[in-house]
Amino acid sequence: MAYSTSKIEEILLESTDEELLYHFSEVRENILNWYPFDGTESFLEIGSECGALTGMLCEKVGNVVAVETDSIMNEVNKKRNENHENLEIFEKTVDELSEKTYQYISLIGTLERIEKYFGSSDVEGFLARIKSILEENGTLFIAVDNKFSMKK
């Protein structure tokens, strides 16, 4: 069953389910919607989950590649953002990505689940891999879930 945007907002307002709020609240967009993108950039979103940021990124940059290893979350993201033609969604780990480089890469809620996206807990190796696909003078956004964020 498809829900209208107003129905989703109504459900979120009445909900106390932290996971539901984490994955579907538009408030999460605040983490990057302030950034002055020029609309032509390439953006790699590692750990896109259910697409809480993906749609907003598609509206602000030229091309978004969303990477998530969870097939159910990828399906939610695809359905949620099916109207964006500048979006590619992959069910891959970071090592399975091509050697293409990106102007922007986000690791939002990713470092604390590094094994899911890298297959190893080697933070230095993971960051070296990220650096290898970040354009020279590119920007890396990192945010870590903590006790003050929406997610426990």
Side-chain angles (χ1 to χ4, degrees), residues 23-42:
H23 289 292
F24 294 100
S25 173
E26 290 182 0
V27 172
R28 293 221 23 237
E29 293 178 359
N30 291 343
I31 198 161
L32 287 179
N33 70 0
W34 57 271
Y35 193 86
F37 297 107
D38 70 20
T40 64
E41 303 90 349
S42 60

Side-chain angles (χ1 to χ4, degrees), residues 107-124:
L107 305 175
I108 298 176
T110 305
L111 288 179
E112 55 273 37
R113 291 179 288 284
I114 190 173
E115 288 185 18
K116 177 179 176 181
Y117 299 104
F118 190 54
S120 165
S121 59
D122 176 15
V123 175
E124 287 181 24

Side-chain angles (χ1 to χ4, degrees), residues 35-124:
Y35 193 86
F37 297 107
D38 70 20
T40 64
E41 303 90 349
S42 60
F43 197 109
L44 174 61
E45 181 186 16
I46 299 173
S48 56
E49 295 181 327
C50 293
L53 302 176
T54 308
M56 178 271 302
L57 291 170
C58 288
E59 292 171 8
K60 291 189 166 277
V61 303
N63 182 54
V64 176
V65 174
V67 175
E68 175 55 55
T69 60
D70 185 294
S71 60
I72 294 172
M73 288 183 173
N74 272 335
E75 288 304 314
V76 171
N77 195 358
K78 284 177 187 174
K79 184 65 178 168
R80 188 177 190 180
N81 292 296
E82 63 189 0
N83 61 324
H84 295 290
E85 294 181 14
N86 61 338
L87 172 63
E88 297 175 88
I89 298 176
F90 295 104
E91 185 176 331
K92 295 183 175 187
T93 65
V94 172
D95 275 343
E96 295 171 315
L97 292 173
S98 70
E99 292 301 315
K100 179 182 175 184
T101 59
Y102 300 87
Q103 290 169 285
Y104 295 94
I105 298 176
S106 68
L107 305 175
I108 298 176
T110 305
L111 288 179
E112 55 273 37
R113 291 179 288 284
I114 190 173
E115 288 185 18
K116 177 179 176 181
Y117 299 104
F118 190 54
S120 165
S121 59
D122 176 15
V123 175
E124 287 181 24

